Amino acid sequence: MGAESRDGGDTTSPFLAAEHSNLFVAEDGDGGGRSNGGVHASVDDSRATAVLMLSTFVAVCGSYTYGAAVSLTTSLFEHVIKHVGYSSPAESGIMADLDLSLAEYSFFGSIMTIGTVIGAVSCGRLADLLGRRGTMVFADIVCIMGWLAMAFSKGAWLLDLGRLLLGFGICLFIYVVPLYIAEITPKNLRGLFTALHQFITSISIGATFFIGSIISWRTLALIGAIPSILQLAGVYFIPESPRWLAKIGKEKDYETALHRLRGDNADISEEAVDIKDYMETARISENNFLQLFRRKYAHPLTVGIGLMVLQQFGGTTAITFYASSIFELAGFSGTVGTIAMAIIQIPVSALSAVLMDKCGRRPLLMVSAGGTCLGCFLVGLSFLLQDHNKWEEATPILVFVGLLIFSGSYGLGMAGIPWIIMSEIFPIYMKAVAGSLVALVSSISSWLVSYSFNFLVEWNSAGTFFMFSTVCFLTVPFVAKLVPETKGRSLEEIQASMTM
């Protein structure tokens, strides 16, 4: 293989693909053989094999961990910032059990942001050094340590440490899970399988909320570690990303990994040659931050960063963290509103997964952005009517409808597709620095929006949501003009077209 190794480092990894195994490969009954001398086998190499499905299942265990941590964070922000709306039993139990002051509890609720920033800086490099599977293992260990530190904490410092570790670990997950799935799936199934990341996240958020209402917070923390334990056990039964193996020069291993993913009788010759040719064409001696700002990477960098900024400044973090407070401010039940928002995300995320490879990424993004624009506009209109003492009996319902439209529309596209596109558009040799930069921008933007939201609402509630609506509206032409359609195209084809 002509691809160069990482900057003089050892290219071996404890997580490289093992010997070729038939253990999980689904056999096709119509026969056929491997490609030999350019002769194509009759077996379809783009079907969903047992190994591919197992690999995806193991990967999205990280998505569940991410959703569980986010769900707990949402509750924490609601309790600390505003003493109205619901307060889960886990929150009250933490403060009473450990005798925390409001300041200590507030610090506990926000320290995860510091962890996500650290994770954003390092996620790309770790995925390059350890491989995709190795990074998931590392994130599992960190998250398990975080959950256990919280579950067995006797004071504030161990509680804070656990939260910090969780922030770091989940940031690795939101980067490496869609990246790994995108690199192992055939082009005709990539949208469906990568969209499962957001679908499982939505299920996790809802499940954690309901489970947390009936059990103690320490038990909830122990349950939170289960998905990471499952992934830690399952990762040794799945292949490494063939593209990462090709990148570090492991030609035999990446072909073995492809055979396991596509099936024994599948013809992988065309896909293997495409990967090899692209690696040799795109070979580069150094993977550093400054090269990312060369003119050839302007398009993918603009798309990656632009989608993350528009996603966050469209109000998603603020609305997620402060949903109960928003409902209460409008005179609607915070408990009913937040439960409805959590529930609607699940079927909408499932619909997004089904439509991803049928309609494409761009249409879903534009419909999603249009829906979030409408939702924010309705909420802003409700607060405007309240400010002028008009239609007061109907404004709470208008806020409820607006936030449901926002939540449903967000789950359809803007929640997960920016991360999917990010995993598709950057060349593999630049994914480390590009992925870290995009994740860092997302984390910082998220913090800025969540920090400033209360000040903005105090200044002008209606104006705040009209600003969110404007950003969502601007997302539509941004997607139409700059975001490429990646449906049905190989990663090598996408990346070559964007860096010409």
Side-chain angles (χ1 to χ4, degrees):
M1 237 328 267
E4 294 186 10
S5 65
R6 302 178 302 274
D7 304 307
D10 185 5
T11 58
T12 61
S13 167
F15 306 103
L16 294 180
E19 284 188 349
H20 179 47
S21 169
N22 298 332
L23 184 60
F24 296 104
V25 175
E27 295 293 342
D28 202 356
D30 60 356
R34 293 178 189 164
S35 171
N36 186 14
V39 179
H40 290 278
S42 60
V43 178
D44 184 8
D45 64 348
S46 61
R47 60 200 171 99
T49 63
V51 172
L52 180 61
M53 290 187 285
L54 175 67
S55 300
T56 303
F57 170 78
V58 171
V60 296
C61 286
S63 308
Y64 195 96
T65 300
Y66 167 65
V70 168
S71 180
L72 185 55
T73 300
T74 301
S75 298
L76 292 170
F77 267 79
E78 286 296 333
H79 180 75
V80 172
I81 300 300
K82 191 176 179 68
H83 297 285
V84 295
Y86 82 91
S87 173
S88 76
E91 298 164 4
S92 302
I94 292 173
M95 294 191 73
D97 197 6
L98 299 179
D99 192 26
L100 300 182
S101 67
L102 181 61
E104 288 174 326
Y105 192 72
S106 180
F107 183 72
F108 165 71
S110 60
I111 194 174
M112 196 170 76
T113 303
I114 300 174
T116 59
V117 171
I118 298 173
V121 172
S122 57
C123 63
R125 180 60 66 181
L126 283 173
D128 257 14
L129 292 175
L130 301 178
R132 297 4 177 181
R133 292 196 309 165
T135 303
M136 284 189 279
V137 168
F138 183 73
D140 286 326
I141 294 172
V142 171
C143 286
I144 290 171
M145 291 172 59
W147 288 118
L148 292 179
M150 290 173 57
F152 296 105
S153 60
K154 300 299 182 182
W157 75 270
L158 195 56
L159 201 65
D160 293 338
L161 176 62
R163 200 70 178 156
L164 181 70
L165 291 172
L166 268 183
F168 178 69
I170 65 170
C171 192
L172 298 183
F173 279 135
I174 61 175
Y175 171 76
V176 77
V177 169
L179 175 64
Y180 173 74
I181 297 174
E183 290 183 348
I184 67 171
T185 48
K187 60 186 178 182
N188 65 308
L189 297 174
R190 194 173 61 242
L192 169 64
F193 277 68
T194 50
L196 292 176
H197 167 63
Q198 179 59 34
F199 176 60
I200 298 300
T201 298
S202 300
I203 292 178
S204 175
I205 290 173
T208 302
F209 175 83
F210 288 113
I211 294 173
S213 66
I214 58 176
I215 63 174
S216 71
W217 68 272
R218 293 186 186 274
T219 305
L220 184 63
L222 290 174
I223 292 175
I226 293 176
S228 289
I229 294 173
L230 289 175
Q231 187 177 69
L232 200 58
V235 78
Y236 293 97
F237 298 97
I238 63 176
E240 179 56 90
S241 161
R243 288 170 171 84
W244 180 76
L245 293 170
K247 176 182 180 294
I248 64 171
K250 299 290 181 177
E251 183 171 353
K252 184 177 179 180
D253 287 319
Y254 94 77
E255 291 179 352
T256 297
L258 270 180
H259 265 301
R260 290 190 63 193
L261 289 163
R262 303 295 180 256
D264 266 352
N265 297 325
D267 174 25
I268 66 164
S269 58
E270 183 178 352
E271 186 175 6
V273 169
D274 286 345
I275 294 174
K276 181 177 179 179
D277 289 347
Y278 180 75
M279 294 298 171
E280 292 179 346
T281 302
R283 187 175 11 174
I284 193 165
S285 60
E286 210 173 6
N287 179 3
N288 62 54
F289 185 73
L290 293 179
Q291 287 178 340
L292 187 60
F293 296 95
R294 293 169 57 189
R295 184 180 180 86
K296 66 183 296 187
Y297 303 122
H299 188 192
L301 194 62
T302 300
V303 170
I305 292 179
L307 284 175
M308 294 302 172
V309 170
L310 291 168
Q311 179 195 61
Q312 295 300 331
F313 283 89
T316 174
T317 300
I319 292 174
T320 300
F321 281 1
Y322 303 111
S324 182
S325 297
I326 296 168
F327 282 121
E328 294 287 345
L329 185 63
F332 195 86
S333 169
T335 302
V336 173
T338 51
I339 290 175
M341 286 181 65
I343 290 175
I344 198 173
Q345 283 267 342
I346 297 174
V348 169
S349 297
L351 178 63
S352 175
V354 172
L355 295 178
M356 193 76 68
D357 286 316
K358 296 182 181 295
C359 301
R361 282 60 153 168
R362 279 162 46 93
L364 286 178
L365 275 176
M366 287 188 283
V367 171
S368 176
T372 54
C373 172
L374 175 61
C376 287
F377 179 81
L378 291 177
V379 176
L381 179 62
S382 172
F383 285 125
L384 182 64
L385 291 171
Q386 282 189 352
D387 290 341
H388 291 82
N389 298 317
K390 298 186 182 208
W391 212 24
E392 293 183 356
E393 66 282 357
T395 50
I397 300 298
L398 194 60
V399 167
F400 177 69
V401 171
L403 288 184
L404 281 191
I405 291 175
F406 178 92
S407 183
S409 300
Y410 179 71
L412 186 65
M414 287 301 294
I417 294 181
W419 290 100
I420 294 173
I421 290 178
M422 188 273 293
S423 70
E424 296 175 322
I425 62 176
F426 289 111
I428 193 164
Y429 53 83
M430 295 302 294
K431 275 183 178 176
V433 290
S436 291
L437 178 60
V438 170
L440 181 62
V441 168
S442 178
S443 296
I444 293 175
S445 299
S446 175
W447 178 82
L448 285 173
V449 173
S450 61
Y451 177 79
S452 61
F453 178 74
N454 285 296
F455 299 103
L456 290 171
V457 170
E458 186 177 349
W459 162 69
N460 191 315
S461 299
T464 299
F465 284 93
F466 286 144
M467 285 193 297
F468 289 159
S469 181
T470 300
V471 174
C472 295
F473 175 80
L474 293 175
T475 304
V476 177
F478 178 87
V479 173
K481 291 291 185 182
L482 293 175
V483 177
E485 180 54 73
T486 59
K487 179 190 74 169
R489 302 169 67 191
S490 70
L491 294 179
E492 289 70 36
E493 180 185 353
I494 296 166
Q495 293 156 14
S497 68
M498 294 198 69
T499 56
M500 292 177 60

